[in-house]
Amino acid sequence: MRRRLLAVSASLVLVPALATVPASPTAALPTVAAVAPTTVEKAPAPRYDATIRWTKHGIPHVTAKDFASLGYGSGYAAAESSICTLMDTVVTGRGLRSRWYGAQGRYDDYVTMNGSNLQVDTLVGDLHNRRVVEKLLAGPSGPQTETRQMVKGYVAGVNRWLRTQRVTDPGCRGAGFLKPDVTTLDLYYGVYLANLLASTGVFVKEIADADPPSLTDPGLPQLPLRASQVDRDALLKALGKDPESPFGSNATAIGGAETTTGKGMLLGNPHFPWRGRYHFTQQHLTIPGRYDVAGASLIGSPAVNIGWNKDVAWSHTVSTAYRFTPYEYKLLGSPTTYLTDRGPRQLERRAVTVKVKRPGGGVGTVQEEVYRTDEGYVVDSPATLMPWSPASVWAIRDANAEHLRTIDTFLQMGKATSVRDLLRRQDRAGGMPWVNTTAADRHGDAMYADHSVVPNVPNAMKERCLTPVGRVVDQLAGLPGLDGTFASSSCAWGTDADAQRPGMFGPRNLPVTVRRDWVMNANDSYWLPNPAERLEGFATIIGCERCERTMRTRMVSQYVIDQLRGRRKESPASLASHQHGNRVRAAEVASAGGDLDEVCDATGETEACAVLKAWDRRSDRTSVGTHLFEEFISRAPADTMWQVPFDAADPLSTPRDLAETNIQVVAAMRGAINAVRNQGVAFDAPWGRLQVAGDRGAPPIPLGGGLGDAAGNANALASRLPVANRGRFRPITYGSSHIQSIAYTASGLSARTILTYGQSENPRSRFATDQTRLFSNEKWVRFAWTDRQIRQQLIRVQRLRG
């Protein structure tokens, strides 16, 4: 009877006419039964139901009952912080950049993909014509159920924001594409293009503009080449691995044997663009009792990409492995007829119609074309020694073009209970596109692994299949150029029994180590994760072994080595302090024995040399002389500046001993001093007056940190196409981004984070530069992880149903 009364009481909310029912239970029941309409139904439950608790710095903590609703809150929060970049990513994934921005406008993701809007749309348009993503969604290499639910909720959340909020960001306010019509397919195409960052994305221009050789454009002949005839740095730049503009990160994991807590700790610092597609936002995602993970996500990713849960924390660094292989095909009389071991075949010529914005208004179309072999897109790329010539044509097979498992991978990693479980989940999903993983757990294990998506090209097969030009590319850049004649037989990618899908290396053929002391990576190859361990015997397409480390790698390692001297250990505070140590390793090494001062004295520049001599060998805001050294090291001859060469038996201490009498080294110092003088910059200017924030709308906030690989600064910052404060010596738009220092303790965990450019990309938001100012002052955000911490930092609560 009591349960029946409760049911009637609930119905009264829906049927006000029944509010006068007598209070007596025995009298009420028959009366209600007599008058209640038989058509009354319970209101349908909302499809999505998420709560966002917004804490200091605009960080969203999304709680929901299922993955669809979790995605709903995540998508809404992403739109709140980054609607312009998010919708620009949608426009790019639709192949409509020329429609909205004009065909000749430029697209630059500030990492590898760079071309005109027309070139980008040509490639993306053909992906749509081939229904690449649709086919992956329907096949075994597509996302799993939870991912599909989360993506569906995410786009619904983005559309909810677009329907209910007004865009105030001047970067896109009033744009015609700001409509609540984002689909799951839009998001998947965006993720798919991100997968191609280190492969097909490098060759956008070379794919879109590939044409058969002609009398006016005959192509370069494939002359016999030797490695000594090729500019290696230019080749690496054309392959998306520019030595002067590296794409990288740092990550250090400390095991319980070397921590004061006896548990794992992690310091991660991805070096990413401060704007554009590869911009991070922070979030905390919770399904009570089922899923709880926090960290940072790239724009358009519902899942946390770099982060932690109660058991394990992880970060990523860009891997040295290649995601593709070029195949060279011999041509038979016609520039579109190529030879295979199955006989002659014709290149597939594919027409692409691109919508373009007309100069006077309106929209027109242009016809473009691309070419393919069975393995992939044809490239006309003389800069990588792969032109379309009368003798041969090149095409690339891309391992990351053959799956759509990236969101699955990150979503599953968020459930991990240890570093080993993290890697098992990563391997099962098979979608880690182009990064290493460094992790630590509460059990005290530290792990480094490069279990990313790598073409299955063992060394034996490589040696058998290299073409003459392909061998040169392999010698100089580690990328094997294979014989396309046998691309579907003896030179086809292999398949490992433990691989998630055919064509990629399985876990047993990829490098990993789990230790109790510590591991690190700073974008050098897998070979040296710890001074006491060498990972060797892997395929060269993954990376080099017994090869020189950058000064940044040496600095990241040195912080830990120095901290652990004298039986000391890493504490949560000491590990976090490495981020803002701002030591410059190349300067420390060059200064040994007074060599750096001797080089400067040899120039006769007494004023500048007095500043350099007094310099603290750091890149703090208050450091004086940093700019002189960075200008010097950028000019110094890498091959001759050290007297003791690299030694694989002593990789973290060589090369060393600056060649103080080398005339080229002295000339580099003289050139550095002149460069500073010619720019009108004082020799004794504090570094923070010269290096400032340079992203969109940023005031000139002074920043510590500096040049990464060459100078050996772990807090790596760079100026690439600045949009603010361009009159300053170095306005920063790239480098240290979502930094996290996570320490597991007896009572749980401590989470220090900083998002260097702020949570919101809208310069009108109060969350656009607040974290940049903290970063400038070498401070951290104490990330609210527990409910109590969230309540303490709470700004507002938002319930979203839809």
Side-chain angles (χ1 to χ4, degrees):
M1 178 66 72
R2 179 178 175 84
R3 287 194 296 270
R4 293 173 65 191
L5 279 172
L6 288 173
V8 171
S9 176
S11 72
L12 295 179
V13 177
L14 301 176
V15 190
L18 302 182
T20 58
V21 173
S24 169
T26 57
L29 287 173
T31 305
V32 171
V35 301
T38 59
T39 57
V40 171
E41 296 179 0
K42 185 178 180 181
R47 183 180 303 178
Y48 306 110
D49 188 349
T51 298
I52 305 178
R53 291 177 291 176
W54 301 89
T55 58
K56 290 179 180 179
H57 310 292
I59 299 172
H61 303 257
V62 183
T63 303
K65 62 183 179 181
D66 54 43
F67 281 100
S69 295
L70 197 64
Y72 191 63
S74 176
Y76 186 94
E80 175 83 10
S81 66
S82 311
I83 191 62
C84 288
T85 295
L86 182 58
M87 291 306 293
D88 183 78
T89 301
V90 169
V91 168
T92 304
R94 289 172 173 172
L96 293 177
R97 296 196 63 82
S98 300
R99 156 70 179 86
W100 293 106
Y101 303 121
Q104 300 310 311
R106 303 297 299 179
Y107 176 68
D108 189 344
D109 67 7
Y110 309 109
V111 181
T112 60
M113 188 179 286
N114 186 310
S116 71
N117 290 330
L118 182 59
Q119 290 166 332
V120 173
D121 289 342
T122 299
L123 173 61
V124 177
D126 188 62
L127 296 176
H128 278 276
N129 291 346
R130 293 170 51 224
R131 298 178 57 82
V132 171
V133 168
E134 292 89 334
K135 292 175 183 176
L136 288 172
L137 285 169
S141 295
Q144 303 303 295
T145 301
E146 288 177 344
T147 297
R148 292 173 187 265
Q149 294 169 347
M150 198 168 188
V151 167
K152 189 174 182 180
Y154 186 90
V155 299
V158 172
N159 288 331
R160 163 76 176 266
W161 192 94
L162 285 166
R163 282 195 306 271
T164 60
Q165 302 298 317
R166 182 170 61 91
V167 176
T168 62
D169 189 334
C172 66
R173 184 183 55 208
F177 52 75
L178 293 173
K179 299 177 181 178
D181 61 356
V182 182
T183 68
T184 57
L185 200 60
D186 290 329
L187 187 133
Y188 283 125
Y189 266 103
V191 171
Y192 184 79
L193 289 176
N195 286 352
L196 306 183
L197 174 148
S199 43
T200 300
V202 176
F203 294 97
V204 170
K205 297 186 291 291
E206 292 79 4
I207 291 170
D209 294 345
D211 285 312
S214 63
L215 291 176
T216 56
D217 182 16
L220 298 175
Q222 294 285 28
L223 298 173
L225 286 175
R226 293 191 301 273
S228 60
Q229 298 174 298
V230 178
D231 183 337
R232 181 175 182 269
D233 286 353
L235 174 63
L236 289 171
K237 180 178 181 179
L239 289 170
K241 300 195 174 200
D242 187 355
E244 299 300 319
S245 186
F247 179 39
S249 309
N250 312 324
T252 304
I254 313 295
E258 298 292 355
T259 65
T260 56
T261 65
K263 300 178 182 297
M265 299 180 185
L266 175 84
L267 176 61
N269 179 3
H271 301 152
F272 270 53
W274 281 26
R275 66 187 192 278
R277 172 69 180 84
Y278 299 101
H279 177 103
F280 284 111
T281 58
Q282 295 172 310
Q283 62 174 341
H284 182 183
L285 304 175
T286 304
I287 300 175
R290 185 178 174 191
Y291 192 76
D292 195 18
V293 62
S297 306
L298 293 175
I299 301 298
S301 172
V304 169
N305 303 131
I306 289 176
W308 69 91
N309 62 24
K310 68 182 180 63
D311 294 314
V312 60
W314 72 93
S315 193
H316 298 297
T317 54
V318 174
S319 158
T320 57
Y322 284 98
R323 316 299 157 186
F324 68 99
T325 59
Y327 280 100
E328 184 180 13
Y329 305 83
K330 297 181 180 68
L331 295 177
L332 295 176
S334 163
T336 58
T337 304
Y338 63 98
L339 179 65
T340 75
D341 56 0
R342 295 168 292 166
R345 293 180 67 84
Q346 289 294 313
L347 293 177
E348 181 185 9
R349 177 180 175 276
R350 300 186 54 81
V352 183
T353 300
V354 179
K355 292 182 179 180
V356 298
K357 181 181 179 181
R358 289 174 173 163
V363 178
T365 61
V366 298
Q367 298 296 315
E368 295 293 315
E369 61 187 23
V370 295
Y371 291 85
R372 288 180 58 85
T373 69
D374 290 342
E375 281 63 52
Y377 284 109
V378 168
V379 297
D380 187 3
S381 180
T384 60
L385 310 184
M386 293 183 277
W388 190 346
S389 76
S392 69
V393 65
W394 294 78
I396 59 172
R397 181 180 175 187
D398 187 342
N400 272 328
E402 299 176 5
H403 75 93
L404 202 60
R405 300 299 296 273
T406 305
I407 300 177
D408 286 79
T409 302
F410 291 115
L411 187 63
Q412 292 303 314
M413 288 170 65
K415 301 178 181 180
T417 58
S418 67
V419 297
R420 287 183 170 87
D421 186 39
L422 185 86
L423 192 60
R424 280 193 295 268
R425 292 175 179 274
Q426 181 177 313
D427 290 337
R428 281 200 301 267
M432 186 57 68
W434 27 260
V435 290
N436 305 292
T437 301
T438 302
D441 63 31
R442 66 181 177 88
H443 312 290
D445 284 334
M447 180 193 76
Y448 160 79
D450 186 352
H451 279 214
S452 53
V453 175
V454 186
N456 194 318
V457 181
N459 291 342
M461 186 268 267
K462 179 194 77 169
E463 290 300 326
R464 183 176 66 249
C465 293
L466 288 171
T467 67
V469 174
R471 186 174 296 279
V472 172
V473 176
D474 184 55
Q475 289 172 348
L476 292 172
L479 174 65
L482 306 178
D483 190 341
T485 306
F486 306 100
S488 61
S489 55
S490 58
C491 296
W493 296 353
T495 296
D496 289 343
D498 60 338
Q500 193 274 332
R501 60 185 171 276
M504 61 185 285
F505 279 124
R508 283 193 293 271
N509 282 319
L510 293 168
V512 60
T513 184
V514 177
R515 301 177 62 89
R516 297 290 294 180
D517 49 6
W518 62 281
V519 296
M520 61 75 61
N521 184 265
N523 305 119
D524 279 318
S525 71
Y526 57 83
W527 174 60
L528 192 71
N530 176 284
E533 183 165 8
R534 309 291 191 269
L535 299 178
E536 296 181 346
F538 295 94
T540 60
I541 195 172
I542 307 172
C544 62
E545 298 174 2
R546 303 180 63 80
C547 48
E548 187 174 337
R549 311 283 93 176
T550 66
M551 282 291 180
R552 179 163 57 89
T553 289
R554 291 168 65 175
M555 187 72 265
V556 173
S557 298
Q558 200 65 41
Y559 278 126
V560 181
I561 292 169
D562 290 348
Q563 175 62 30
L564 298 182
R565 281 200 176 101
R567 302 181 68 181
R568 293 185 302 176
K569 296 185 181 251
E570 287 279 14
S571 68
S574 70
L575 182 62
S577 73
H578 300 334
Q579 169 58 39
H580 294 297
N582 289 334
R583 291 167 57 183
V584 181
R585 188 58 179 161
E588 294 176 353
V589 175
S591 297
D595 288 347
L596 184 62
D597 293 334
E598 288 186 38
V599 169
C600 196
D601 290 341
T603 67
E605 296 277 1
T606 56
E607 182 184 357
C609 293
V611 170
L612 196 62
K613 187 172 185 177
W615 175 47
D616 61 5
R617 273 55 177 168
R618 295 179 183 267
S619 59
D620 290 330
R621 290 182 310 157
T622 55
S623 296
V624 176
T626 306
H627 57 312
L628 287 167
F629 182 77
E630 288 207 356
E631 292 292 324
F632 162 67
I633 202 67
S634 297
R635 291 169 169 78
D639 295 338
T640 60
M641 68 178 295
W642 305 108
Q643 295 187 71
V644 177
F646 171 71
D647 181 356
D650 190 15
L652 294 179
S653 298
T654 58
R656 65 173 182 269
D657 194 357
L658 186 64
E660 68 274 18
T661 61
N662 185 311
I663 59 173
Q664 293 177 310
V665 174
V666 174
M669 180 65 76
R670 185 177 293 111
I673 294 169
N674 285 334
V676 171
R677 179 186 290 117
N678 292 340
Q679 292 181 69
V681 176
F683 295 142
D684 61 352
W687 186 229
R689 192 181 300 168
L690 305 178
Q691 180 170 265
V692 299
D695 54 320
R696 185 165 61 94
I701 300 170
L703 301 174
L707 186 63
D709 286 4
N713 204 316
N715 187 12
L717 297 175
S719 182
R720 301 179 186 175
L721 301 175
V723 292
N725 307 312
R726 284 180 285 187
R728 295 298 184 109
F729 182 80
R730 180 173 289 170
I732 296 302
T733 57
Y734 186 96
S736 297
S737 56
H738 165 74
I739 308 166
Q740 61 181 40
S741 183
I742 311 300
Y744 290 97
T745 65
S747 59
L749 65 85
S750 165
R752 293 174 169 94
T753 69
I754 196 76
L755 188 62
T756 56
Y757 37 71
Q759 177 74 359
S760 176
E761 68 177 12
N762 184 351
R764 296 184 173 183
S765 168
R766 59 176 166 153
F767 304 126
T769 59
D770 57 334
Q771 292 196 62
T772 310
R773 297 184 188 280
L774 289 176
F775 179 59
S776 171
N777 291 313
E778 301 184 0
K779 296 185 181 300
W780 294 90
V781 170
R782 291 296 186 133
F783 196 99
W785 170 247
T786 66
D787 282 339
R788 179 182 179 185
Q789 292 165 347
I790 292 171
R791 287 194 300 270
Q792 290 172 340
Q793 297 189 28
L794 192 64
I795 295 174
R796 62 188 171 102
V797 178
Q798 194 169 8
R799 180 79 176 270
L800 299 173
R801 288 178 170 179

